[in-house]
Amino acid sequence: MPVAHGANPALDPDGFDLRMVPSAINWIFLSSLQILPPITSQIVTLAPLPTMKRFKDEGTTGNATPLPFSAMLVGGVIWCMYGRLTDDMTIMIPNVTTILFGIYYLVTFSRYRHPKTSLLLHVLGAIFVIVSVVSATFVLPHEDAVDMIGEVGSIQQVVMYSGPLMVIKTVIRDRNTSAMNAWFTVATFLSCSVWTLYGAAVTHDIYLWGPNVVGLFAAAVQLFLFLKYGLPPPPHVKEADIIEGLPLKTVATE
């Protein structure tokens, strides 16, 4: 269709500048990436609550590992400091609640800890890393502190997201996923997805997107195990009544 003399081909019949569409879409995309990461972080932080309830109901942590909870506490401190150094509230604010809930999870785990599960090394390791990170924030030059905390934070993220993989051998042997947290796995997958996009498209920070790519892989492996062996059985179902993660019958508890 020929364009009338003096008309702008970039305008639709109503005079809207079509050249603004890509910019608007880009703005919406980038703006959403500043909102979604903190939200998904809160989902990850709250995901262990059902596990805490199960610990209380059963009176024991069973064969669960405290690593995800100690790593969550350490991570909250690390990324609060990183957000402070980089003036990034998207990183700093959600990690305040991560610190508080990380403490709560460790205290609850300690209360119902299985006698064969050691917690001391996890606590001492968490204290050491926290003291080192906070000290580096105030002692090292700014750029050195950013790099140091970013590197430590990247390692922490990998440890936290990969922690549940430590029980893979048990899951495969027992054909039972009760040692893993389904909600935490799903929340991790969502959170790692948006933080990977935020680090790659908004901040262009490898300390953000790098470890979250690893977290995506770890979450994908755990999701595969849930698909293969099913969700954990409810507390009133005995292990003897389970084949490949599916309860054969319900055993009433007295």
Side-chain angles (χ1 to χ4, degrees):
M1 179 177 178
V3 179
H5 180 70
N8 188 342
L11 298 178
D12 69 5
D14 296 324
F16 179 78
D17 193 345
L18 298 178
R19 291 172 298 183
M20 296 178 60
V21 173
S23 298
I25 294 176
N26 185 59
W27 180 84
I28 293 173
F29 174 71
L30 294 178
S31 297
S32 65
L33 287 181
Q34 293 179 313
I35 298 173
L36 291 177
I39 294 176
T40 57
S41 289
Q42 299 312 297
I43 296 175
V44 171
T45 298
L46 299 176
L49 285 176
T51 300
M52 297 299 115
K53 184 178 184 303
R54 178 163 61 87
F55 291 162
K56 295 176 182 179
D57 291 341
E58 299 180 358
T60 178
T61 58
N63 56 5
T65 172
L67 183 58
F69 312 123
S70 58
M72 180 179 290
L73 171 59
V74 170
V77 175
I78 291 174
W79 293 108
C80 263
M81 295 296 100
Y82 191 81
R84 175 183 175 274
L85 289 172
T86 57
D87 294 322
D88 193 332
M89 294 298 102
T90 299
I91 299 174
M92 183 176 179
I93 292 177
N95 280 288
V96 174
T97 55
T98 299
I99 294 173
L100 298 177
F101 276 93
I103 294 173
Y104 166 70
Y105 295 148
L106 276 179
V107 170
T108 302
F109 193 98
S110 175
R111 182 177 179 183
Y112 299 100
R113 177 178 61 86
H114 190 279
K116 294 183 178 181
T117 303
S118 176
L119 189 61
L120 180 60
L121 290 178
H122 292 273
V123 174
L124 292 178
I127 293 174
F128 174 77
V129 175
I130 289 172
V131 171
S132 300
V133 167
V134 174
S135 299
T137 302
F138 296 99
V139 173
L140 295 179
H142 183 270
E143 292 300 323
D144 292 341
V146 169
D147 288 335
M148 182 265 196
I149 295 177
E151 291 169 0
V152 173
S154 296
I155 296 173
Q156 172 274 329
Q157 289 285 85
V158 172
V159 170
M160 185 181 77
Y161 291 138
S162 302
L165 296 181
M166 295 178 64
V167 297
I168 280 184
K169 183 178 179 180
T170 301
V171 171
I172 296 176
R173 182 194 65 206
D174 298 341
R175 296 176 175 272
N176 187 335
T177 57
S178 60
M180 299 194 306
N181 185 325
W183 292 112
F184 183 78
T185 301
V186 173
T188 296
F189 187 85
L190 294 175
S191 181
C192 287
S193 297
V194 295
W195 278 109
T196 296
L197 291 173
Y198 180 76
V202 178
T203 63
H204 308 291
D205 189 343
I206 191 174
Y207 294 139
L208 292 180
W209 65 259
N212 280 288
V213 170
V214 178
L216 267 176
F217 172 77
V221 172
Q222 294 167 65
L223 287 174
F224 171 77
L225 292 175
F226 280 114
L227 290 174
K228 183 175 178 62
Y229 299 116
L231 294 173
H236 60 274
V237 177
K238 292 182 179 180
E239 290 185 4
D241 301 314
I242 299 172
I243 294 181
E244 295 191 0
L246 299 177
L248 294 181
K249 63 179 181 178
T250 300
V251 181
T253 57
E254 297 182 359

